[in-house]
């Protein structure tokens, strides 16, 4: 079964590289063509299948999104997962359904667009089995046995009969024929990420006693038969690829794994199916591990397991692992274990990576940050987006090209951008590329980056800084753009600056007053000028609570509270995160890192209290008080704060033990730590409180829009100063995801010469309306 590993076992054609100029011979190997079955990839850059939210429902958006990658030099470009039949209906998600000829016609646009740049087009035929929602078709889910999938709820799957098995295989063949007819060069039998093929393969989910269950040969039969049938149908005209998942053990807590499929079993399957396959597409683990965020996984993290597939095949192998470094890609290919560099996220972040390598423009590569905002957007909003590449998904509907920027009219107008955060930096880069001759970016802080100045210092988020670093490098290449740091501009400074166009990009900050969703008034006792009350920015700037016991209060639900908690826990603080959500950091589930994040915090000794609202911070009380009433006077400090809502104050003895609460009923004995109390209630309104030495409030952001509002309020002063246009972008408009801040800055600069740049131009929508 195990074969010797010849270095570069895959046939390499002696034809010139597809990309014109190759400056650096070090990377020449990346531009060699590779034969896969009846087809030849023009180079070793391969955009693996990944969802976009466009599927076959937005065919023009899909086509333009993939065509850009082909234009940027990716030799193979795949569309996303494509269900073969109605009992693998992905609604409410959007997939590239291939059930009938109408679907095929829609996807033809993508294949044609990819071919237009000389690349091969791939389609990932798929059946989700027990993981298919079937939200629209209302058909029963199918699976080898009557199981449920952790991705679904509301019922178990039907155990497939032999007729079902034969019918799904016929659907696969029909879909493969349609894919070939639509012009696709590479047709997949998708087996990774826990879907139907994997459900058959795993002894945990396959409990059959017939010829499709039991031994590995039986559990693999459905996969092999499907491969053989698809190969018979289209193997002469299409390369047959299959995507497998090798079980990794990266040691990342919470990463999960593939139940019941060990690496040796997968290698045995590879050996059994090798004669049916032209391209092995290898991933590791489940999707959260495969698309591992930079917080937990370094570039190339899948290597130790993915590269083992070479032991079982001499066919071409593509492997992924958020590759962005040309040197690492080269080394990976040279190792002989892998023939193609697979990429989803780097190809989103920079569709022109291959071209930039070919042309020696390495400094221009927009490196993926590993944030997984792309996945959050695709899964949640059904439209992919990126924190590095504002044009991702906007190629068709807005006509944006990541590398082409038309000369702007009115580019001789001097521009002042106030704020060098993500939105301001992006706006400056695009204005510079559009030919503006004098763009000044004024930043109040000594360092550029806005919120990323401190975010990138949170544990594991260093790669998010790539967003700032890339823009800093590009601005240095633009002669018309100048960045001035350490200069805080007041309204009078802006008026006197000499700019004709002013863009306010002053960002946002975290409130320190405890205002939070559902509680619009400030929280009693929340004052970040006090030593024991902190904002996230203050923590990252070095402020620490006066004692060891810290409560991090989270009503935001994303990365900031866990990041601050991990930072403080790492320094030896005893940290409790109190969150209003039923689970810590629900947004991180959308970036696939929720389980890992929670496991990490657990291992770091961070306690979490869920579904709890904090409404006040008070000194440890020693006397009773009632809601809405001032407490008794104190000799050693300010009067007790008045709580507008929440429970009556508890009464504690000096050891911190609860004596009475409100109506005199003892409720519980509290811990005895800390001179401060956080007071609140649980999801049922039951009083809750805890003692601590300090509180970090991750409650709500607020736009830093004072400068904009002051300037906008005085149009006459603007006119007198020669300022013909005043705009506001990014968090200064409304605090949002990083991808939206970048988008905002990019859009304004793209449309700066439109009739009304403050109002986005309409964009093309699909499907077209009936009128
Ligand atoms: C937005 C997004 C959507 C994805 N959708 C799919 C999919 O439809 N099918 C699939 O096999 N993998 C999908 N993946 C996983 C990728 O194909 C790839 O295996 C993974 O992201 C690791 O590659 P990378 O590190 O280059 O991103 C998706 C990844 C991303 C980022
Ligand atoms: S959103 Fe983040 S992870 Fe996704 S492609 Fe862009 S930079 Fe990479």
């Amino acid at each position: 079964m195990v074969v010797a590993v010849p270095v570069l076992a895959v046939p390499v054609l002696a034809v010139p590289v597809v990309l014109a100029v190759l400056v650096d011979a070090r990377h020449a190997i990346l531009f060699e063509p590779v034969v896969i079955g009846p087809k030849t990839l023009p180079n070793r850059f391969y955009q693996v299948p990944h969802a976009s939210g466009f599927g076959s429902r937005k065919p023009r958006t899909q086509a333009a999104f993939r065509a850009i990658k082909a234009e940027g030099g990716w030799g193979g470009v795949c569309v996303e997962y494509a269900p073969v039949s109605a009992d693998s209906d992905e609604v409410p998600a959007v997939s590239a359904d291939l059930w009938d000829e109408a679907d095929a016609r829609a996807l033809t646009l993508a294949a044609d667009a990819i071919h237009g740049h000389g690349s091969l087009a791939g389609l990932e035929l798929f059946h989700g089995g027990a993981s298919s929602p079937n939200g629209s078709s209302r058909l029963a889910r199918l699976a080898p046995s009557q199981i449920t999938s952790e991705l679904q709820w509301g019922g178990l799957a039907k155990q497939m009969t032999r007729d079902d098995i034969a019918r799904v295989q016929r659907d696969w063949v029909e879909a493969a024929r349609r894919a070939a007819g639509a012009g696709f060069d590479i047709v997949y039998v998708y087996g990774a990420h826990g879907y139907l093929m994997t459900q058959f393969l795993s002894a945990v989910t396959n409990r059959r006693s017939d010829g499709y269950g039991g031994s590995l040969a039986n559990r693999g039969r459905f996969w092999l038969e499907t491969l053989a049938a698809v190969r018979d149908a289209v193997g002469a005209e299409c390369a047959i690829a299959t995507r497998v998942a090798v079980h990794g053990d990266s040691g990342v807590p919470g990463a999960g794994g593939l139940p019941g499929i060990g690496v040796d079993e997968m290698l045995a399957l590879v050996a059994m199916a090798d004669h049916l396959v032209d391209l092995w597409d290898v991933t590791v683990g489940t999707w959260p591990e495969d698309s591992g965020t930079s917080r937990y996984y370094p570039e190339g993290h899948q290597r130790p397991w993915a590269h083992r597939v070479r032991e079982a095949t001499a066919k071409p192998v593509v492997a992924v692992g958020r590759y962005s470094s040309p040197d690492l890609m080269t080394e990976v290919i040279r190792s002989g274990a892998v023939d193609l560099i697979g990429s989803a996220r780097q190809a989103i972040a920079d569709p022109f990576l291959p071209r930039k390598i070919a042309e020696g423009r390495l400094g221009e590569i927009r490196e993926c940050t590993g944030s997984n905002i792309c996945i959050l957007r695709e899964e949640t909003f059904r439209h992919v987006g990126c924190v590095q590449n504002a044009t991702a998904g906007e190629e068709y509907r807005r006509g944006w090209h990541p590398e082409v920027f038309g000369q702007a009219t009115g580019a001789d107008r001097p521009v002042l951008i106030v704020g060098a955060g993500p939105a301001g930096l992006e706006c400056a880069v695009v204005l510079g590329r559009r030919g503006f001759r004098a763009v000044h970016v004024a930043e109040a802080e000594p360092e550029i980056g806005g919120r990323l100045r401190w975010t990138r210092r949170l544990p594991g988020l260093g790669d998010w800084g790539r967003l700032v670093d890339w823009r800093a490098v590009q601005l240095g290449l633009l002669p018309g753009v100048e960045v001035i740091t350490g200069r805080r501009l007041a309204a009078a400074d802006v008026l006197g600056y000499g700019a004709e166009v002013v863009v306010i990009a002053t960002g946002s900050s975290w409130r320190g007053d405890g205002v939070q969703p559902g509680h619009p008034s400030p929280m009693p006792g929340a004052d970040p000028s006090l030593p024991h009350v902190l904002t996230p920015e203050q923590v990252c700037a070095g402020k620490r609570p006066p004692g060891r016991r810290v409560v991090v209060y989270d009503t935001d639900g994303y990365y900031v509270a866990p990041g601050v908690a991990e930072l403080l826990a790492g320094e030896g603080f005893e940290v409790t995160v109190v969150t209003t959500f039923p689970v810590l950091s629900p947004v991180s589930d959308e970036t696939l890192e929720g389980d890992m994040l929670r496991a990490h915090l657990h291992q770091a000794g961070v306690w979490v209290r869920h579904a709890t609202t904090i409404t006040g911070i008070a000194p440890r009380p020693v006397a009773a008080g009632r809601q809405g009433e001032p407490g008794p006077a104190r000799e050693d400090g300010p009067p007790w704060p008045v709580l507008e809502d929440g429970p009556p104050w508890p009464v504690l003895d000096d050891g911190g033990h609860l004596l009475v609460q409100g109506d005199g009923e003892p409720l519980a004995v509290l811990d005895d730590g800390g001179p401060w109390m956080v007071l609140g209630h649980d999801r049922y309104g039951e009083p809750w409180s805890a003692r601590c030495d300090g509180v970090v409030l991750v409650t709500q952001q607020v736009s830093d829009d004072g400068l904009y509002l002051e300037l906008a309020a005085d149009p006459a002063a603007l006119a007198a100063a020669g300022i013909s246009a005043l705009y506001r972008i990014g968090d200064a408009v409304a605090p949002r995801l990083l991808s939206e801040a970048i988008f905002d800055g990019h859009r304004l600069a793209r449309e700066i010469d439109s009739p009304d740049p403050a109002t986005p131009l309409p964009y093309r929508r699909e499907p077209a309306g009936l009128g």
Side-chain angles (χ1 to χ4, degrees):
M1 177 183 70
V2 176
V3 297
V5 184
V7 172
L8 298 182
V10 174
V12 171
L13 290 187
V15 297
V17 292
V18 70
L19 296 172
V21 200
L22 185 62
V23 173
D24 193 337
R26 268 184 310 159
H27 305 130
I29 197 169
L30 298 172
F31 295 91
E32 291 171 346
V34 177
V35 175
I36 50 169
K39 300 286 178 177
T40 302
L41 287 158
N43 59 41
R44 298 182 187 271
F45 295 97
Y46 188 84
Q47 186 244 279
V48 289
H50 78 78
S52 57
F54 313 143
S56 36
R57 281 193 231 161
K58 293 185 181 171
R60 294 175 186 83
T61 313
Q62 173 78 265
F65 178 65
R66 306 297 173 180
I68 280 290
K69 298 174 200 303
E71 185 187 339
W74 296 87
V77 178
C78 298
V79 180
E80 57 247 71
Y81 67 144
V84 297
S85 39
D87 42 30
S88 178
D89 154 40
E90 288 298 298
V91 170
V94 180
S95 49
D97 301 344
L98 197 49
W99 302 350
D100 56 29
E101 291 307 318
D103 289 336
R105 280 195 297 279
L107 292 171
T108 302
L109 299 189
D112 288 350
I114 293 164
H115 291 157
H117 298 284
S119 303
L120 298 188
L123 191 60
E124 187 184 48
L125 298 181
F126 152 92
H127 197 297
S131 298
S132 288
N134 292 351
S136 179
S137 71
R138 306 181 74 167
L139 295 172
R141 296 173 192 133
L142 298 181
S145 305
Q146 189 151 74
I147 57 164
T148 187
S149 153
E150 60 179 23
L151 300 180
Q152 297 302 336
W153 49 269
L156 291 153
K158 174 190 177 195
Q159 171 160 329
M160 290 171 80
T161 62
R162 285 188 170 243
D163 284 348
D164 290 327
I165 289 174
R167 199 263 300 151
V168 168
Q169 288 173 334
R170 281 198 304 279
D171 287 347
W172 218 298
V173 167
E174 283 311 305
R177 288 207 176 99
R178 282 186 208 106
F184 285 93
D185 309 282
I186 307 160
V187 170
Y188 270 75
V189 175
Y190 177 19
H193 299 130
Y195 296 118
L196 187 57
M197 294 296 161
T198 324
Q199 290 158 23
F200 266 94
L201 194 63
S202 162
V204 173
T205 47
N206 181 347
R207 299 195 289 269
R208 301 175 75 97
S209 53
D210 64 2
Y212 291 92
S215 66
L216 176 67
N218 280 358
R219 284 181 277 124
R221 185 184 307 277
F222 176 65
W223 199 330
L224 265 67
E225 283 179 358
T226 310
L227 274 168
V230 168
R231 190 173 191 85
D232 277 354
V234 301
E237 49 194 312
C238 297
I240 309 299
T242 200
R243 196 154 217 220
V244 296
V246 177
H247 180 79
D249 183 9
S250 52
V252 175
L258 285 174
I261 308 174
V263 64
D264 290 336
E265 251 186 348
M266 185 52 83
L267 294 190
L269 180 101
V270 169
M272 281 191 281
D274 209 28
H275 61 293
L276 302 170
V277 172
D278 299 316
L279 175 64
W280 287 101
D281 181 341
V282 184
T283 66
V284 168
T286 53
W287 193 18
E289 181 166 5
D290 175 33
S291 294
T293 54
S294 55
R295 188 197 285 260
Y296 299 121
Y297 294 98
E299 181 178 352
H301 65 97
Q302 303 200 12
R303 271 183 91 172
W305 301 277
H307 289 199
R308 287 202 58 196
V309 170
R310 176 57 85 216
E311 294 171 18
T313 178
K315 296 279 182 65
V317 175
V318 54
V320 286
R322 202 168 56 85
Y323 287 112
S324 60
S325 150
D327 287 347
L328 184 57
M329 293 178 192
T330 303
E331 189 220 308
V332 162
I333 297 291
R334 284 198 188 286
S335 77
V338 166
D339 307 287
L340 304 173
I341 298 296
S343 173
R345 289 168 293 175
Q346 182 55 55
I348 297 172
D350 195 342
F352 272 63
L353 171 128
R355 240 171 225 288
K356 288 174 182 174
I357 298 175
E359 294 166 8
R361 296 186 287 134
L362 304 189
E364 290 180 39
I365 295 172
R366 261 192 314 267
E367 291 175 308
C368 170
T369 65
S371 67
N372 279 5
I373 295 281
C374 47
I375 293 175
L376 180 154
R377 278 206 52 97
E378 177 267 313
E379 290 283 295
T380 311
F381 305 126
R382 316 297 183 212
H383 193 108
V384 80
C386 175
V387 305
Q388 274 288 46
N389 174 14
T391 68
E394 305 296 342
E395 300 84 355
Y396 168 74
R397 65 178 190 176
R398 287 192 161 85
W400 291 356
H401 189 291
E403 304 295 322
V404 177
F405 300 87
Q407 171 71 34
T409 52
D412 50 350
R413 293 174 293 164
V415 181
L416 170 65
I417 299 174
V418 185
L425 291 173
E426 177 71 4
C427 190
V429 170
V430 178
L431 288 177
R433 290 184 168 179
R434 296 203 61 203
F436 272 81
R437 288 194 276 283
V439 178
H440 282 196
V441 187
E443 169 56 49
E445 301 295 332
E447 210 186 323
I448 65 170
R451 80 174 104 148
L452 279 166
R453 278 183 300 114
W454 58 269
T455 302
R456 69 189 301 177
R457 297 198 178 110
L458 291 174
L461 298 190
D463 276 1
W464 287 30
R466 290 175 164 189
L467 188 154
V468 178
D469 299 342
W470 183 81
R471 283 159 184 82
V473 170
Q474 305 319 304
L475 289 176
L477 302 173
L478 292 165
V481 186
E482 196 177 325
V483 181
I484 303 125
T485 52
R487 179 123 187 246
R488 184 177 296 277
L489 299 184
D493 302 320
V494 173
L495 293 172
Y497 203 90
E500 264 185 62
V501 177
V502 172
V503 180
I504 303 297
T506 39
S508 64
S509 41
W510 285 91
R511 303 185 72 114
D513 60 3
V515 165
Q516 54 188 299
H519 291 266
S521 29
M523 178 193 288
D527 176 357
S529 69
L530 298 171
H532 65 284
V533 181
L534 301 89
T535 65
E537 286 108 332
Q538 288 177 333
V539 173
C540 290
K543 182 177 173 184
R544 291 293 177 268
R548 280 185 317 119
R549 286 154 297 213
V550 189
V551 166
V552 176
Y553 180 45
D554 179 35
T555 67
D556 170 61
Y558 192 17
Y559 65 90
V560 175
V564 167
E566 193 175 339
L567 179 75
L568 294 177
E571 293 176 10
F573 287 91
E574 284 175 24
V575 184
T576 301
V577 181
V578 177
T579 174
T580 46
F581 296 97
V583 64
L584 178 64
S585 191
V587 182
S588 300
D589 288 324
E590 307 302 334
T591 57
L592 306 182
E593 55 193 337
D595 285 342
M596 299 177 220
L597 179 147
R598 290 184 279 270
H600 260 84
L601 288 186
H602 179 73
Q603 286 204 337
V606 173
W607 286 93
V608 181
R609 167 129 192 144
H610 301 109
T612 298
T613 301
I614 294 178
T615 52
I617 305 168
R620 177 173 57 80
V622 291
R626 284 200 162 276
Q627 181 178 335
E629 295 171 2
R634 285 196 301 160
E635 284 178 9
D636 59 343
W640 304 108
V642 179
L643 301 184
E644 292 185 3
D645 56 5
W649 293 356
V651 182
L652 306 170
D653 68 13
D654 275 348
H657 301 105
L658 187 76
L659 301 177
V660 289
Q661 176 140 5
D663 59 4
E665 287 301 310
L667 287 181
V669 175
L670 301 183
D671 69 290
D672 62 356
W676 298 96
M677 302 282 306
V678 284
L679 309 168
H681 56 82
D682 68 13
R683 75 181 87 181
Y684 307 111
E686 294 292 334
W688 177 83
S689 60
R691 299 181 60 184
C692 61
D693 297 303
V695 184
V696 184
L697 292 170
V698 189
T699 48
Q700 201 167 308
Q701 289 160 278
V702 58
S703 292
D704 292 332
D705 55 6
L707 179 62
Y708 173 82
L709 295 176
E710 190 178 345
L711 290 166
D714 195 350
L718 291 172
I723 297 173
S724 58
L726 171 70
Y727 305 112
R728 149 170 84 142
I729 54 174
D731 275 16
V733 178
R736 283 162 289 166
L737 291 172
L738 271 175
S739 53
E740 310 317 290
I742 290 286
F743 170 84
D744 232 20
H746 192 99
R747 189 212 61 79
L748 180 71
R750 281 269 181 187
E751 299 179 353
I752 197 76
D753 42 4
S754 71
D756 176 16
T759 307
L761 290 171
Y763 55 86
R764 292 193 274 188
R765 295 165 64 205
E766 290 189 275
L770 290 175

